[in-house]
Amino acid sequence: MGLIAAAIAVGLAALGAGIGNGLIVSKTVEGMARQPEARGMLQTTMFIGVALVEVVPIIGVVIAFMVIGG
């Protein structure tokens, strides 16, 4: 049962991160198309947002290892 819980945790974390990254990048490209002069600021904010979203699957993997090991 622990293996199934670990697989679900990692799978949902990866799915959520993929959707989140897609939304962040699409909105950034949309913002760049509307205001090209704000490109630098938008890219910086996008990279920070992507980094924060990527923390979710890493935490999911840690939780999965805890479930398997415990």
Side-chain angles (χ1 to χ4, degrees):
M1 199 63 150
L3 293 175
I4 294 173
I8 290 173
V10 172
L12 289 177
L15 180 69
I19 292 171
N21 283 335
L23 289 172
I24 290 170
V25 173
S26 71
K27 296 299 180 179
T28 301
V29 170
E30 183 180 325
M32 286 182 200
R34 290 176 184 259
Q35 292 183 335
E37 67 275 2
R39 179 178 181 230
M41 185 179 65
L42 289 172
Q43 274 187 332
T44 303
T45 306
M46 178 193 73
F47 287 134
I48 292 170
V50 167
L52 291 174
V53 168
E54 284 300 320
V55 169
V56 173
I58 293 170
I59 292 172
V61 169
V62 170
I63 291 172
F65 282 139
M66 289 172 54
V67 168
I68 291 172

